[in-house]
Amino acid sequence: MIDTTKDQTLRILEKPEFSKDDIIFLLQTDFECRNILYRKAAEIKEKYVGKKTYFRGLIEFSNKCAKNCYYCGIRAGNKETERYELDIETILSAVRFAWENQYASVVLQGGEREDEDFVQKITEILQKAKSMTNGQIGITLSLGEQTEEVYRMWKENGADRYLLRIESSNRDLYYKIHPNDKFHNFDRRIDCLKILKKLEYQVGTGVMIGLPFQTYEILADDLLFFKAIDVDMVGMGPYIVHENTPLAEFENLLLSTEERFNLSLKMTAILRILMKDINIAAATALQAIDPVGREKAIKVGANIIMPNITPSENRKNYLLYQNKPCIDEGADDCTTCLEARINISGDEIGYGERGDAIHYKNKNF
Ligand code: SAH
Ligand code: SF4
């Protein structure tokens, strides 16, 4: 009997573990087979983490960055960007907004800096945000590479989780999308993830999908990398060109935006099957391609959404990529529109619940 693509998809999805070749096969599924993959991922999600989406209020703290990643619109070398940094009061009022609206968690994200003033300011924000919410609000930091001492201090002062995307787990590709200098070091990024784990953070990482020079094999390795380092959370989404960056030069090598979008959904679905009880974010970049892109990711395995609660006047300057969504909305608009959309995707929203990764809770530190 001829083994059709459909038979092969079904056979792989029955396996207890996927090989790298299995993942490469699944990444290339289309039409009916892709939908079989999505249905399986939705089943696994429901069984292991439930049909629930948790909100993390995203505060884009500052677009000042010391680094020069080739893909990013707020890289130090982009002189066209007007730089801003929110003051402590503004950040705390965003935290209050999240708390009062039962988001239960916030993410503080910004450009990467290691200067003393920056480190102290974050420490103060952590202390105040925690005391303002009786120690209850979940705080995720996404502030790049820091020393072990800094990570420890932030943890002791209230940080619960840390997001540090490896961007690509393939060393060669990493150096195609970053300068090869002391500020951009693949090994340091890996070491940081290990330190964060040692300090008992809930650790998240991720990659961009559809980068120039990226292959299916590299993407399969990315998924296996997440599993090997045993992360608690993953945030990954399509690479989107920012014109004013060096990587824009390779735009002609890219898959179409639609293909990058579909590949991101397939990566999400396969990851849900590979790592059943982790938290997976529906990347904001999905929404830059499809207005309901994040909700589609929720349907195929993601369980976290990060509504932007940055004050509207600053959003226009935190442009990591073109067509970034929601830059002229206020936080209130975001909540209302998201609520309606999540309900359409069939999930309920975990209002008032921190939604820590079950994978982390099961580690029993
Ligand atoms: N400076 C921190 C956090 C801010 S950047 C850090 O780099 O870790 C947050 C994420 O935005 C990055 O990890 C990267 O994956 C993503 N990003 C940057 N430029 C992008 C682009 N052009 N397309 C899609 N994602 C991008
Ligand atoms: Fe800075 Fe992060 Fe952008 Fe790199 S990806 S330039 S570290 S903000």
Side-chain angles (χ1 to χ4, degrees):
M1 207 170 69
I2 304 164
D3 191 15
T4 64
T5 312
K6 185 176 169 190
D7 292 335
Q8 213 173 335
T9 307
L10 290 168
R11 201 156 33 78
I12 291 173
L13 290 175
E14 285 308 312
K15 291 188 182 182
E17 295 284 338
F18 295 159
S19 68
K20 184 164 152 184
D21 284 341
D22 294 336
I23 298 174
I24 293 173
F25 178 89
L26 292 174
L27 284 172
Q28 294 176 85
T29 49
D30 225 333
F31 308 112
E32 191 189 358
C33 294
R34 188 169 72 195
N35 289 332
I36 295 173
L37 164 67
Y38 291 164
R39 274 199 298 278
K40 175 80 178 183
E43 258 172 48
I44 301 272
K45 175 182 164 185
E46 185 168 357
K47 181 161 173 208
Y48 288 86
V49 297
K51 276 169 86 80
K52 223 178 218 184
T53 297
Y54 300 96
F55 279 178
R56 315 288 189 227
L58 174 65
I59 306 170
E60 294 163 336
F61 160 78
S62 166
N63 67 355
K64 295 182 186 168
C65 186
K67 290 179 76 171
N68 254 318
C69 308
Y70 289 151
Y71 43 83
C72 178
I74 64 170
R75 62 198 297 275
N78 183 2
K79 304 294 177 211
E80 310 275 294
T81 294
E82 195 185 314
R83 303 288 163 171
Y84 74 90
E85 180 177 331
L86 302 182
D87 59 31
I88 295 185
E89 268 321 301
T90 309
I91 292 166
L92 292 176
S93 53
V95 173
R96 193 170 300 113
F97 171 87
W99 184 242
E100 285 170 355
N101 285 280
Q102 309 237 33
Y103 282 18
S105 289
V106 289
V107 179
L108 203 57
Q109 189 182 74
E112 199 164 307
R113 283 161 53 193
E114 295 186 59
D115 54 281
E116 185 60 27
D117 284 353
F118 174 76
V119 170
Q120 287 307 334
K121 187 168 169 179
I122 299 297
T123 307
E124 192 179 331
I125 294 164
L126 288 167
Q127 289 164 345
K128 292 189 168 156
K130 280 286 173 173
S131 72
M132 211 169 84
T133 58
N134 312 318
Q136 286 177 26
I137 199 156
I139 306 183
T140 308
L141 297 180
S142 177
L143 301 166
E145 294 158 36
Q146 305 288 339
T147 62
E148 179 164 348
E149 290 64 43
V150 170
Y151 284 147
R152 181 177 293 112
M153 182 161 80
W154 287 347
K155 179 87 170 49
E156 284 168 359
N157 282 280
D160 302 288
R161 322 180 179 111
Y162 207 100
L163 282 178
L164 185 73
R165 285 186 174 181
I166 189 68
E167 314 298 359
S168 173
S169 67
N170 180 284
R171 183 184 294 270
D172 290 340
L173 181 54
Y174 186 89
Y175 285 115
K176 287 196 171 96
I177 61 171
H178 297 97
N180 192 345
D181 63 20
K182 68 176 185 329
F183 298 110
H184 306 79
N185 185 306
F186 180 74
D187 295 306
R188 185 181 187 214
R189 214 149 169 99
I190 304 247
D191 283 346
C192 283
L193 287 170
K194 290 185 183 153
I195 291 167
L196 289 163
K197 278 193 67 179
K198 186 179 84 181
L199 296 173
E200 300 183 3
Y201 274 91
Q202 287 178 58
V203 179
T205 191
V207 294
M208 280 172 289
I209 298 163
L211 288 162
F213 315 109
Q214 197 176 40
T215 59
Y216 290 116
E217 187 180 357
I218 291 178
L219 286 168
D221 279 333
D222 287 337
L223 293 174
L224 293 169
F225 168 82
F226 303 152
K227 194 158 165 76
I229 62 165
D230 196 28
V231 285
D232 308 298
M233 327 182 282
V234 170
M236 56 183 174
Y239 161 63
I240 299 175
V241 178
H242 187 294
E243 252 167 35
N244 218 343
T245 57
L247 212 61
E249 184 191 328
F250 302 105
E251 197 163 356
N252 60 329
L253 299 181
L254 298 179
L255 296 172
S256 70
T257 45
E258 193 190 338
E259 285 167 312
R260 275 177 274 151
F261 180 87
N262 286 331
L263 201 47
S264 302
L265 290 190
K266 283 186 268 184
M267 286 285 283
T268 303
I270 299 168
L271 179 65
R272 174 55 72 203
I273 303 171
L274 276 180
M275 300 187 78
K276 300 178 170 41
D277 57 358
I278 63 168
N279 277 349
I280 304 179
T284 309
L286 290 166
Q287 200 191 345
I289 299 179
D290 179 334
V292 287
R294 291 184 298 180
E295 293 72 7
K296 288 183 178 168
I298 294 290
K299 273 198 134 169
V300 304
N303 66 331
I304 302 287
I305 274 202
M306 299 172 20
N308 196 336
I309 57 168
T310 311
S312 328
E313 67 267 27
N314 300 109
R315 293 188 194 187
K316 63 179 186 310
N317 289 322
Y318 198 82
L319 289 187
L320 305 170
Y321 44 80
Q322 278 150 217
N323 299 326
K324 199 161 164 269
C326 294
I327 54 172
D328 49 12
E329 280 170 78
D332 279 321
D333 310 330
C334 267
T335 320
T336 324
C337 83
L338 265 175
E339 188 169 286
R341 288 150 155 211
I342 304 293
N343 290 337
I344 291 167
S345 70
D347 265 24
E348 64 174 291
I349 299 164
Y351 280 123
E353 296 174 56
R354 273 185 30 162
D356 289 317
I358 294 174
H359 189 74
Y360 177 82
K361 291 195 208 158
N362 287 343
K363 280 182 179 165
N364 291 326
F365 287 110

